[in-house]
């Protein structure tokens, strides 16, 4: 019998990782806002470098794999 709690949590974590991989506008807005905390810049003034986007996608992929592992262990 499947453990639906584990399966649901794993799928939710994988979905969050997928948002980071595709650089969803909500994730981009959060990243820009976090870079401007404590400065006088607005979030629109911050330009994300290609390196930070690549790092975010790599981290998102690892989050997807972690969430998938949790979901598979719930089956």
């Amino acid at each position: 019998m499947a453990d639906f709690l584990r399966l649901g949590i794993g799928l939710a974590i994988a979905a969050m990782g997928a948002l980071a991989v595709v650089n969803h506008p909500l994730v981009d807005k959060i990243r820009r806002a976090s870079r401007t905390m404590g400065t006088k810049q607005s979030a629109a003034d911050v330009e994300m470098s290609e390196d930070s986007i690549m790092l975010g996608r790599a981290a998102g992929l690892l989050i997807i794999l972690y969430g998938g592992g949790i979901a598979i262990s719930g089956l």
Side-chain angles (χ1 to χ4, degrees), residues 2 8 12 14 22 26 30 42 45 53 59 61-62 72 75:
V22 298
L26 178 63
I30 292 170
S42 69
D45 296 336
I53 292 171
L61 182 62
L62 291 175
I72 289 173
L75 292 177

Side-chain angles (χ1 to χ4, degrees), residues 37-62:
M37 285 183 172
T39 66
K40 293 185 180 194
Q41 289 181 319
S42 69
D45 296 336
V46 175
E47 185 174 327
M48 300 301 287
S49 70
E50 292 295 321
D51 293 336
S52 66
I53 292 171
M54 178 80 83
L55 184 62
R57 289 183 176 177
L61 182 62
L62 291 175

Side-chain angles (χ1 to χ4, degrees), residues 27-38 42-43 46 48:
V27 175
D28 187 50
K29 188 174 187 176
I30 292 170
R31 284 185 187 148
R32 289 174 189 262
S34 68
R35 283 186 174 256
T36 59
M37 285 183 172
S42 69
V46 175
M48 300 301 287

